[in-house]
Amino acid sequence: MAQSGQKNKLQHHIIEEWRGKIFASVCIFLLIITIFSMVYFVASKGVSTFITNGVSLKEVFTGVEWMPEGDNPIFGALPFIFGSFSTSILAALIAAPLSICAALFMVEIMPKVGKKYMQPVIELLAGIPSVVYGFVGLSVIVPFYRDVFPGQGLGIAAGATVLSIMILPTITSIASDALSALPGGLKEASYALGATRWQTLYRTVLPTTMPSLLTGVVLGMARAFGEALAVQMVIGNAPHIPSSLFESTSTLTSVITLSMGNTVTGSVQNNVLWTLALILMLMTFIFVFLVRWLERRARR
């Protein structure tokens, strides 16, 4: 009887294990199919601009005029590409030092105060909807830039400022995890050699965790590059390359969200918008590859 009970339990465990493997395999298969379907759909729509509609590749990527309506439509997307890159890079330049300093404060300088007060505030920032950021930027940041600098306040500076606040939690959380995972022996060895706390931070802690810190910055840039609503509310949405940070411009996400609902499926303008979406997707892949490369560097 005892042997029979053990045999039944063993069979039951084997059945449960196979059920788990089958369920996990089905989920992974569906995930792979979904990803490849999305990539194929966006790529086929985006490439049809050049294959089916005969739009010049040079016109889309180097043209500076965007006039999709009329007898002779022009689809120069360079202003949108420039707007997306400029706002994302500027937002990362603003947010990265603030995030790394906040992470150092929470982990290395005053961990008790940081975990009790700063960490909840940063987590709260991560949960705020993007439309709230856009509304605050439109109500506070844009009027401030309008009063201090020449122009209407709408432009790359306002968009980058809003984006820097939005990506602050992402970079800070990754930087905090990287600093927390640092072996304590490195800091103790630095202190044993006579280094002060600040010398230990910028000569030992920061160089050691730099690949992980850069991973957080790249992920923040990826978040900023794909943001639509908040940037759309403060950037001005003008289809031209600005001559200063305080002139209106537009981004890839802004022109897609503003124009996609006003186009006919299969038309030239609709396909060009899918081409812009394809550029966004390719940039996302590049950001992912950069993150993987930095992670491999961090393991070495």
Side-chain angles (χ1 to χ4, degrees):
M1 293 292 292
Q3 293 180 352
S4 143
Q6 291 179 354
K7 186 176 181 181
N8 291 334
K9 287 182 179 180
L10 181 60
Q11 291 178 350
H12 178 73
H13 287 314
I14 293 174
I15 293 173
E16 289 294 330
E17 183 179 357
W18 275 103
R19 285 178 180 175
K21 289 182 178 179
I22 292 173
F23 179 76
S25 301
V26 170
C27 291
I28 294 172
F29 178 76
L30 291 176
L31 181 62
I32 294 173
I33 292 296
T34 302
I35 293 173
F36 276 98
S37 299
M38 291 176 60
V39 172
Y40 174 77
F41 180 77
V42 176
S44 61
K45 287 281 189 178
V47 173
S48 63
T49 301
F50 312 107
I51 297 177
T52 305
N53 303 118
V55 178
S56 171
L57 188 69
K58 181 180 179 181
E59 176 185 353
V60 173
F61 287 95
T62 62
V64 295
E65 294 186 13
W66 177 264
M67 292 187 294
E69 299 176 355
D71 297 333
N72 296 314
I74 302 176
F75 302 103
L78 184 60
F80 311 130
I81 299 173
F82 175 82
S84 294
F85 275 100
S86 57
T87 52
S88 302
I89 294 174
L90 186 58
L93 291 177
I94 296 173
L98 298 176
S99 302
I100 294 173
C101 289
L104 286 172
F105 180 83
M106 290 190 300
V107 177
E108 299 291 341
I109 300 176
M110 297 186 69
K112 293 183 179 179
V113 177
K115 291 182 180 179
K116 186 176 181 180
Y117 296 105
M118 286 194 65
Q119 190 170 358
V121 173
I122 292 174
E123 292 175 354
L124 180 64
L125 288 176
I128 297 176
S130 59
V131 64
V132 177
Y133 284 105
F135 184 74
V136 172
L138 194 62
S139 304
V140 179
I141 297 174
V142 171
F144 172 76
Y145 284 150
R146 185 190 302 130
D147 296 336
V148 177
F149 301 99
Q152 297 298 318
L154 300 170
I156 294 176
T161 305
V162 172
L163 285 177
S164 64
I165 301 173
M166 295 182 66
I167 67 178
L168 193 70
T170 301
I171 304 177
T172 304
S173 60
I174 295 175
S176 299
D177 294 338
L179 293 173
S180 300
L182 187 67
L186 291 176
K187 292 181 288 185
E188 293 175 359
S190 178
Y191 292 141
L193 293 174
T196 63
R197 171 186 284 182
W198 294 107
Q199 289 174 335
T200 300
L201 288 179
Y202 73 81
R203 291 183 179 178
T204 303
V205 174
L206 289 179
T208 305
T209 58
M210 188 56 66
S212 299
L213 298 180
L214 292 177
T215 299
V217 175
V218 172
L219 288 175
M221 288 184 62
R223 165 80 191 279
F225 199 85
E227 179 56 41
L229 186 56
V231 179
Q232 178 183 321
M233 296 174 67
V234 299
I235 203 169
N237 303 306
H240 63 82
I241 298 178
S243 57
S244 73
L245 297 176
F246 305 99
E247 288 187 10
S248 299
T249 184
S250 188
T251 61
L252 293 169
T253 52
S254 298
V255 70
I256 291 173
T257 54
L258 288 173
S259 305
M260 186 63 79
N262 301 320
T263 60
V264 180
T265 303
S267 62
V268 182
Q269 185 178 356
N270 183 268
N271 289 337
V272 171
L273 293 177
W274 280 109
T275 302
L276 301 184
L278 178 60
I279 296 173
L280 280 173
M281 187 177 66
L282 293 177
M283 284 306 305
T284 302
F285 290 159
I286 292 175
F287 284 130
V288 171
F289 291 145
L290 283 175
V291 169
R292 296 298 183 188
W293 178 70
L294 290 171
E295 287 179 350
R296 285 197 297 268
R297 284 194 59 188
R299 295 193 191 103
R300 294 176 182 176

